[in-house]
Amino acid sequence: MNYEPSTMNSAHNNIEIERKFLVDAEKWQQADKPGGVLYRQGYLMSENNCTIRVRVAGEKAFMTIKGASSGISRAEYEYEIPVADATEMLDNLVASEISKTRYAINFENKLWEVDVFLGDNAGLIVAEIELQSENEAFTKPTWITEEVSGDLRYYNSKLSVDPYKNWK
């Protein structure tokens, strides 16, 4: 499957507007979905105002720099890099790492990216939708539950250092 991250779209002027939701595992299991793509990603830097991530997504790899969040928006710059370089960085340079299977679901003319986490975050399923504006209307699939957009625990960079298995 040739999958391009939705963040490669520069129509946002390098601003990502994204909402995150928890997913009902039972309903997700029943949902019609395409094959997923295995992601391995790690963090070279993760501060409140800047995160630098390296990711291998299937047959491609990316370096992503994200700025501080303001509501559900933040600056984002993403660049494709050689898979061998990304793998070497993941093996030798990252401070923390996560893995997950990502599913791209088109629902009501919107792309939902559903992450089924692996390893220390197994059991957690989070869906994200990218929007053109913060107040854009959209329809939620039946497997969507609670919104967690403002909850820092669900940021991938936070899950890499405080995994889901450690939560009370």
Side-chain angles (χ1 to χ4, degrees):
M1 173 180 212
N2 190 6
Y3 176 71
E4 295 287 335
S6 62
T7 53
M8 294 298 289
N9 181 352
S10 61
H12 299 302
N13 295 324
N14 295 316
I15 298 295
E16 173 188 60
I17 302 170
E18 179 180 85
R19 290 177 66 180
K20 290 181 183 253
F21 298 86
L22 296 181
V23 172
D24 180 299
E26 192 173 305
K27 288 181 181 175
W28 174 248
Q29 289 296 343
Q30 305 302 319
D32 184 30
K33 54 190 160 288
V37 176
L38 182 62
Y39 277 45
R40 180 180 174 209
Q41 64 189 47
Y43 297 86
L44 298 167
M45 184 177 110
S46 184
E47 308 282 327
N48 287 336
N49 63 341
C50 183
T51 302
I52 302 173
R53 173 186 78 205
V54 63
R55 167 188 279 172
V56 174
E59 303 294 316
K60 294 190 173 202
F62 303 89
M63 174 80 63
T64 307
I65 301 151
K66 294 188 179 198
S69 292
S70 173
I72 60 170
S73 301
R74 63 181 165 177
E76 179 178 89
Y77 305 89
E78 185 164 77
Y79 309 95
E80 189 167 349
I81 62 173
V83 172
D85 289 358
T87 301
E88 189 174 316
M89 284 185 255
L90 285 165
D91 289 343
N92 300 307
L93 300 177
V94 300
S96 59
E97 185 177 324
I98 63 168
S99 58
K100 60 191 179 181
T101 301
R102 175 165 282 178
Y103 298 85
I105 307 289
N106 284 301
F107 181 79
E108 302 277 327
N109 297 316
K110 292 285 179 202
L111 176 64
W112 288 84
E113 295 175 329
V114 179
D115 293 336
V116 178
F117 287 88
L118 306 169
D120 289 345
N121 290 298
L124 179 62
I125 307 174
V126 176
E128 302 173 349
I129 183 172
E130 259 191 54
L131 304 171
Q132 299 294 319
S133 67
E134 288 201 9
N135 56 2
E136 181 178 347
F138 59 92
T139 305
K140 297 176 196 167
T142 58
W143 33 263
I144 291 294
T145 64
E146 163 188 8
E147 182 165 8
V148 294
S149 297
D151 191 335
L152 297 180
R153 295 177 304 163
Y154 293 97
Y155 282 39
N156 288 318
S157 58
K158 301 292 186 202
L159 289 168
S160 71
V161 293
D162 185 17
Y164 186 65
K165 75 169 189 171
N166 294 344
W167 298 7
K168 299 267 183 243

